Amino acid sequence: MFRRGRNDPLELLRDHVIHHKQIKLRSKNTEHRLLFDNSIEFKCSTETAWKSKSGQEYTLGALWCFLDCHLQGLEQKNYRKKALDLNFEQVFKADNQDIIEYFTGKVDYTDCINADKKPLPQNKKSLQKDDDIEFASQKKVKPDQEKEPLTEKEFNLKVFDEILRFEKPITTRNRLFRVQDRTFDDILKTAQKIFQGQYVGVGGDEEELQQILGTRIQDVNKAKQLSSAKLSYSVLNEFIKSKEKPIIIVPQIAELGNVCLRNVQQFLEQGQYIDPNGLKFTNESRSVQIKVKLRLTDIEQQFIVLDTPNTITNWKRVVAVFLRGSTYELKQFPDQNPNQLFKNIRGYHMKFEEEKIKDLIKQWNVKVLDLHRSKRYQDIDVVNTFWEDLEAFLLRPAKLSQQ
């Protein structure tokens, strides 16, 4: 355990946070400074002894920015934006709790402070002359003869630390492409090589990479073999032998965040969610056919999607239903007992991820599918989750599914 001296920036920041003292941010071009009680000023780039769980030491600006956003009750996305705008490194989530507890006074000591890092000078005279504290003063540099020569390892580590200090993490899609002579085609080809086990990055271990990829391939093959064994006596095999198409029921109401006949084909076949309110559906049969290749069994299977349950004559063909979470929805099924109903028919509820789950949905044995409200490229992940879950449901023994 280690506790810094009173002139240490960590101790100063902690004292001001606990006692709600004023801290001002001063910016001049790209340089930012923190003014404590209009008396002591530190550069935001001042290195501190706070060591993250990843091994790096946070600057004073990084810690202040995180604490300031936390005390204001800002969301994580607003904190990230502020840190990027000020060019501060972002605090890792794994360090959040330790930082909050120490700087708000819940704990007096912490193991996150590097005891080997020397505190700043303690006397007021030297404190006022420190470059990190005073704007006009210049940092004193020891003559070369007083400096201890760095070993080759220490020099390399120092250079690497400096590179990491100015390196900006890739946190957005735009930043990914802000590399000279880098195109989307290059990124796509590299990703394909990695997936196929033909690419090793700088300093990579090809043998280790092949071992990892080989393990993943073995896991996939085992899953497919297990699925093939289940297929022979499964519900899915009954549909294959009878050549009947399984039925999926969707709501008739076009509701943003859910599916209906207007947008279900685009969503389940192509992995793209479209607001159903802006679409028209002119098919008089009130149904659509969807063809998909199931991953585990490598079988191409057609499904019929409809929104008129009253036209169904053989309810054994119904394998899935999308629900809005209303009691009247159960009245359209022969068996209105939800405990028995969702043993034979797989229930799904779609919503935007920030929306709360309805009380009835919590009571029913249904799977919740969360959509992102604006990131449409994530739709394919939701669709894959749906098909993988439904395929696993169809691979259950046929005898257990008899109504």
Side-chain angles (χ1 to χ4, degrees), residues 9-10 13 32 34 42-52 56-67 79 83 86-91 99 103 117 132 161-162 164-166:
L10 290 180
L13 178 61
H32 306 288
L34 292 177
F42 277 89
K43 282 185 178 181
C44 289
S45 59
T46 302
E47 295 181 357
T48 71
W50 191 280
K51 195 171 185 179
S52 72
Q56 75 180 55
E57 291 172 344
Y58 289 124
T59 61
L60 180 64
L63 293 171
W64 168 82
C65 183
F66 170 74
L67 288 167
Y79 158 65
L86 295 172
N87 200 23
F88 293 162
E89 67 265 44
Q90 296 180 29
V91 171
I99 293 174
F103 285 96
K117 189 163 184 178
D132 286 335
D161 288 340
E162 285 297 306
L164 288 179
R165 193 161 66 91
F166 290 98

Side-chain angles (χ1 to χ4, degrees), residues 335-349:
D335 192 340
Q336 298 180 14
N337 181 357
N339 295 327
Q340 186 62 32
L341 173 65
F342 297 121
K343 287 182 180 179
N344 302 310
I345 299 175
R346 187 62 167 142
Y348 295 95
H349 175 68

Side-chain angles (χ1 to χ4, degrees), residues 84-123:
L84 287 172
D85 291 341
L86 295 172
N87 200 23
F88 293 162
E89 67 265 44
Q90 296 180 29
V91 171
F92 293 105
K93 285 187 177 180
D95 299 317
N96 289 4
Q97 193 63 29
D98 291 332
I99 293 174
I100 292 170
E101 288 182 352
Y102 180 74
F103 285 96
T104 57
K106 291 183 179 179
V107 296
D108 291 328
Y109 298 95
T110 176
D111 289 325
C112 297
I113 296 178
N114 185 3
D116 296 330
K117 189 163 184 178
K118 293 182 179 180
L120 294 174
Q122 298 295 314
N123 61 79

Side-chain angles (χ1 to χ4, degrees), residues 147 329 363:
K147 289 186 177 180
E329 290 179 286
Q363 298 173 20

